[in-house]
Every structure is written in C-alpha cells, then in structure tokens.
Amino acid sequence: VLACARIGAIHSVVFAGFSSSAVAARINDSECKMVITSDGSYRGNKAIDLKGIVDEALEKCPSVETVLVVKRTNTEVNMKEGRDLWLQPLMDAAVGNNVAEIMYSEDPLFILYTSGSTGKPKGMVHSTAGYMVYTAYTFKNVFNYEENDIYWCTADIGWITGHSYILYGPLLNGATTVIFEGVPSYPDFSRFWEVIEKHNVTQFYTAPTAIRALAKESLDYVQRFPLSSLKVIGSVGEPINEEAWHWYNDHVGGKRCPLVDTWWQTETGGIMISPIPFVTPTKPTYASLPLPGIQPVLMDELRNEIEGNQVTGALCIKFPWPSMARTIWGDHQRYKETYFTAFPGKYFTGDGALRDEVGYYRITGRVDDVIIVSGHNLGTAPIEDAINEHPAVAESAIVGFPHDIKGNALYGFVILKETGESRDKNNLAKEINQQISDQIGPIAKLDKIQFVSGLPKTRSGKIMRRILRKIAEGDFSNFGDISTLLNPEIVEEIKNGKL
C-alpha cells in the first residue's frame, strides 16, 4: 500500500475472506493491471489458499498482466508462466534509491469497495491530500496520540478502518502502529490482552463484535493482564450495545480509559462523530458529538431538517469535509444518485440517528438494505442474487436480526420452485449457504433459512421487508396495515413458520 502511494499507483485492497467471484468483480471494475497476493494466509489454526482464490478469479480478469506472490505459508502453488512472479527475488534485485512521485492533491490515492444495497459493489475513490489531511487530524485527536505511545487497531487492512487507522492516520503522525495477523480467539481468548501487555499498547481500537465474543468467555482471560499501559480504548464498525460498552469500559479500560465510540464510513474516509478523550464526557451507546468542522443534521421524511433535541431522523452531513470520497470509480452518476439525491444539497449517510437532550448522537442503524454483520457491511441484493441462482429457488428475501455476538445475523426467506416432489430442506439450506459462500464469501452465509410459499408484497410488487424484519426478530406486535398487501394471508403463514 505504501509503495503504491509512493510511486503514484492507485491501490485497491481486497479483504482476504472474499470468494474468487467477489475478487474478480472488483478487479474487473477497476481494470487492475497487477495483483499482489501470497501463497496463503493464516486465520487462527486454518490456512487459506489465497493464491488459489486469485488464480480462479483471474480466469475472468483480462486486464491483469502481472501477479506478484509473497511467500507466507510456504505451500505449493501454481505459478503461471509470463504472469506470476515471486516477490522476494525482485526485491533483492531492486535499486534502493526510489524517488517519491509528486502528486496533485486531488489525484486518486486508492479505491476501496463497499457493499451497495443494490447491484455491484461501489468502488469509493479517495483523494491524496484531503484523505491524508483528515486521517492525520482525526487520529491525533480521537486517540490522544503522544510521542512514544504504542497504538493498536485490530481491523483488517482490507477495510477502511485498516487503511485510515492502521496505516495512513498513525504513520502521518509518526506513530508506532501495531499490525496484527490473527483472530481474538486463537490460540485462546486472551490473545488481545496478551498483545497489549507484551507491547505496552497505549491506544486500543477494535470492533463491538470482538468485544461481545470475548465478553462471553471467562473473565480470567482478561484479568490475568493488568493492561495498565492503556490510555484510550475505542470501538468501530457498528453501534456498540450497552452491555458490551460496560464490559469493555470496566474490564479492559479499567473505568479509567475514555472509550471513544466512533461513527464513520468507507465513504467518509475518517471518523466523523466521536468523543474526544478527556474532553467529551462519554455516554454508553452514543457516538456523542461531531468532530470540529463536521456538521451533521437529522432529516425527516419530507426532506426537512429536524431542529432541536430528543429527535430521530435520517443522518445527513450538511457541508463537505476533506476526506469525503470523491466519486465511485467509473460511475460518477451512481455516486450522485446514491449519496446526494435523497436529501438534495446534503450527503446522506444511509443511517438513522437519534439526538438526545444535550445534542449527543446515537446511530440507530441502516435505513437502506445494507446489514452490518460482525462489522462487515453486507448488501442484501448480491446475497439474494446468489441464492436465486440455485436451481431449486424461485425467489428470496434477506433481512437482519439481532445476534448476541455478530450484532446482526442474516435471516433468509426462500420460495422454492414448484416441482411437485418433496425435497430435503436441510440439504437445500446447506447448498444455498455453500452457493453464497462461493459467490460472496463465508461472511455472508445465512444463520437461518425459512422456506415459505410466498413473500409479503405491495401491489406494485415491492417486498415489505419491514414485516420480514419484525418476524425475524420475533416481534409480532404490530405489522401495521397489511390489508393493502397483494397477499396479506402470507404474513400469518410466515409468522407461524418462524425458526
């Protein structure tokens, strides 16, 4: 990533958990010429065949001319003549006096893909100067970074959090940044706390999913380490629930480290709403106040700005900021339509929010068809497309439901084609999840699959997802007026069959 930035090449990092189809879609959209991968990678006690996934993807990627391969697991891999090269011999032969390329401030620095609620992933383009100015500014202020501190963000480099707060933000401040390959549960559940103790980490930034998973385990895992080096702890990726907030604050922060609950997005480039340590009083589940220069507003359904406090609405940003994404790669029209048409003149975040009596913001979740699972933004449309390609499936609809560890999990309602023969539903469910895993990645697999004879639809054919959401959550209290549905009787059938 840093080498690309130095020579003025645009980088586009892809999360290692994606399938070959998802990798191919991103390569083809950006028309990459070079892929850098490794022979494999480790996740806990499992080895992942990264080179194999890349090889499969590249069967459908005519733009790629060169593949550089890093030795990591020392496993046997296929090397395609004329295309694939081992990286180390090239490094050994390289001349060490490379001069940094001078770039214009608005030149693209990188493309990073984020799930769209419809259709293919969106390649968000971040600029060189604006992005770096803002990540440097937010890193220093949100984490109260001082010289000789040791900072650790546990995110994957493949997400915006890794870009902004493992690499660019810390390094622009001359910070020491810890990069971690692994999972919080391997070799046991003390892994995070052991690393903090070993390296005297002063700032620790992780996701609510990790906190919830670790809070389930014995307190002994965390209590055997004093964690006295910590000054600031942070949360990122999704709104943190109150129980996880208190566990993190009490047992990791020792009730003495400010907990910065940060709200931001791939599109924003950097943190937008967050407490500033030792300045902003924290409040569980509230991202609190916008950072200096950021002007959030809440909007109602009539596109009017909602004044005052103790209100809820659609969260928008009123004025631009340095690190906002400049466009969607190759599709500026989609960029305008996605972010700037719902509320003209404002950036629409896609999130709903509540503003309390003192003006603190609490993010209440997505208002579009993107579901956050374990901190990963998953668009429902691509998952439904994958399910619908199964030969036995006629139609499907995906919604999220609350999950103790992941925050949200995926619940699928699936209509099968009429063939007159009975089928093993358990096997079908496994096949559907395998299809999702092959096309998108294991992260998008469904926790629950309910086979139904129909879906609640409006007379114009739109699936009423809010009804499905309530059923998935087990809330049968008030479905609103369902008499206007094309098929109101289906609601009772789905309700009775809930898993």
Side-chain angles (χ1 to χ4, degrees):
V1 164
L2 298 175
C4 288
R6 186 175 179 83
I7 64 170
I10 300 170
H11 61 74
S12 183
V13 185
V14 177
F15 171 59
F18 278 135
S19 68
S20 60
S21 304
V23 174
R26 286 156 175 76
I27 291 172
N28 287 333
D29 185 72
S30 56
E31 298 179 316
C32 292
K33 289 185 179 179
M34 177 186 282
V35 174
I36 304 171
T37 186
S38 59
D39 50 2
S41 69
Y42 296 110
R43 186 162 176 82
N45 59 359
K46 286 192 299 201
I48 297 163
D49 177 17
L50 285 189
K51 179 64 164 65
I53 293 168
V54 167
D55 285 345
E56 199 177 315
L58 294 187
E59 288 171 16
K60 298 170 279 196
C61 300
S63 64
V64 173
E65 298 165 6
T66 312
V67 177
L68 301 183
V69 188
V70 178
K71 277 205 167 157
R72 175 70 185 97
T73 54
N74 290 310
T75 41
E76 285 288 316
V77 292
N78 289 321
M79 297 291 280
K80 186 175 175 181
E81 187 72 33
R83 184 194 74 184
D84 300 356
L85 299 162
W86 290 104
L87 181 64
Q88 195 56 51
L90 299 174
M91 298 282 278
D92 294 341
V95 179
N97 59 356
N98 175 268
V99 177
E101 188 72 23
I102 294 173
M103 308 299 290
Y104 287 104
S105 61
E106 286 299 303
D107 281 343
L109 178 63
F110 63 85
I111 304 167
L112 188 57
Y113 285 86
T114 184
S115 290
S117 54
T118 55
K120 65 180 188 179
K122 305 187 292 278
M124 305 312 304
V125 177
H126 279 291
S127 71
T128 300
Y131 171 81
M132 291 213 258
V133 163
Y134 195 74
T135 51
Y137 158 76
T138 49
F139 171 79
K140 187 164 179 58
N141 288 291
V142 171
F143 297 104
N144 193 35
Y145 185 82
E146 296 171 308
E147 203 168 344
N148 301 321
D149 282 353
I150 310 284
Y151 164 86
W152 180 24
C153 168
T154 69
D156 192 288
I157 298 278
W159 304 122
I160 189 68
T161 305
H163 284 53
S164 299
Y165 298 110
I166 295 177
L167 291 179
Y168 286 106
L171 294 178
L172 287 160
N173 281 282
T176 301
T177 181
V178 177
I179 298 181
F180 174 74
E181 179 190 52
V183 291
S185 55
Y186 181 81
D188 67 29
F189 291 97
S190 66
R191 190 79 177 104
F192 275 3
W193 325 127
E194 183 192 350
V195 171
I196 290 171
E197 201 62 31
K198 178 181 174 184
H199 294 294
N200 292 314
V201 169
T202 44
Q203 291 92 352
F204 179 64
Y205 195 32
T206 195
T209 300
I211 296 302
R212 286 191 292 265
L214 295 167
K216 265 195 8 302
E217 304 302 324
S218 163
L219 263 180
D220 181 56
Y221 285 117
V222 62
Q223 285 178 340
R224 71 172 92 133
F225 300 99
L227 306 181
S228 55
S229 60
L230 284 175
K231 292 198 316 190
V232 177
I233 56 176
S235 166
V236 62
E238 61 189 298
I240 186 168
N241 54 304
E242 188 153 358
E243 198 180 347
W245 192 99
H246 283 296
W247 187 91
Y248 191 23
N249 182 57
D250 296 357
H251 302 297
V252 180
K255 297 186 181 177
R256 59 182 178 75
C257 301
L259 196 172
V260 292
D261 176 4
T262 63
W263 173 84
W264 58 298
Q265 303 175 307
T266 304
E267 295 89 338
T268 72
I271 296 165
M272 304 287 277
I273 302 177
S274 167
I276 292 176
F278 311 107
V279 174
T280 318
T282 57
K283 179 178 178 180
T285 75
Y286 282 77
S288 78
L289 297 170
L291 293 179
I294 304 302
Q295 291 152 8
V297 288
L298 297 181
M299 306 295 288
D300 66 19
E301 287 170 356
L302 299 174
R303 298 178 166 183
N304 297 317
E305 194 176 318
I306 304 169
E307 300 290 343
N309 290 339
Q310 291 187 292
V311 290
T312 57
L315 180 63
C316 292
I317 311 294
K318 207 167 182 175
F319 296 105
W321 61 99
S323 65
M324 68 188 299
R326 298 305 198 252
T327 188
I328 291 173
W329 184 260
D331 198 345
H332 195 64
Q333 190 56 36
R334 186 182 180 196
Y335 175 69
K336 289 198 286 191
E337 285 167 6
T338 305
Y339 301 105
F340 301 98
T341 55
F343 301 95
K346 295 177 179 65
Y347 167 82
F348 176 42
T349 66
D351 283 330
L354 175 157
R355 191 164 56 222
D356 78 359
E357 63 281 359
V358 296
Y360 274 25
Y361 286 88
R362 177 183 184 172
I363 309 305
T364 52
R366 302 294 295 175
V367 297
D368 58 12
D369 294 325
V370 171
I371 301 165
I372 300 177
V373 179
S374 298
H376 305 284
N377 280 23
L378 299 175
T380 55
I383 302 171
E384 288 166 6
D385 289 346
I387 296 168
N388 297 346
E389 282 180 27
H390 189 288
V393 172
E395 192 178 6
S396 63
I398 304 293
V399 295
F401 68 97
H403 188 280
D404 287 349
I405 306 298
K406 301 176 183 177
N408 294 294
L410 299 175
Y411 194 123
F413 298 89
V414 176
I415 304 172
L416 297 174
K417 289 176 182 166
E418 286 296 333
T419 61
E421 59 186 81
S422 63
R423 280 171 285 217
D424 182 335
K425 301 279 174 66
N426 284 339
N427 275 345
L428 269 177
K430 284 178 189 161
E431 287 171 17
I432 286 167
N433 263 335
Q434 189 56 50
Q435 186 127 339
I436 294 168
S437 192
D438 290 345
Q439 290 203 20
I440 298 163
I443 190 75
K445 289 205 290 200
L446 310 183
D447 274 43
K448 294 184 179 179
I449 298 177
Q450 181 180 343
F451 294 102
V452 295
S453 67
L455 295 167
K457 290 186 177 179
T458 63
R459 296 190 184 278
S460 62
K462 189 170 189 281
I463 298 169
M464 290 296 283
R465 289 172 192 274
R466 77 177 164 77
I467 293 173
L468 296 177
R469 257 184 231 114
K470 286 182 78 101
I471 292 173
E473 290 167 8
D475 174 7
F476 304 152
S477 56
N478 178 21
F479 292 126
D481 180 16
I482 61 170
S483 63
T484 56
L485 290 178
L486 193 60
N487 50 350
E489 70 290 342
I490 200 72
V491 176
E492 194 64 24
E493 183 206 304
I494 297 173
K495 191 178 95 177
N496 293 337
K498 183 192 175 294
L499 300 175

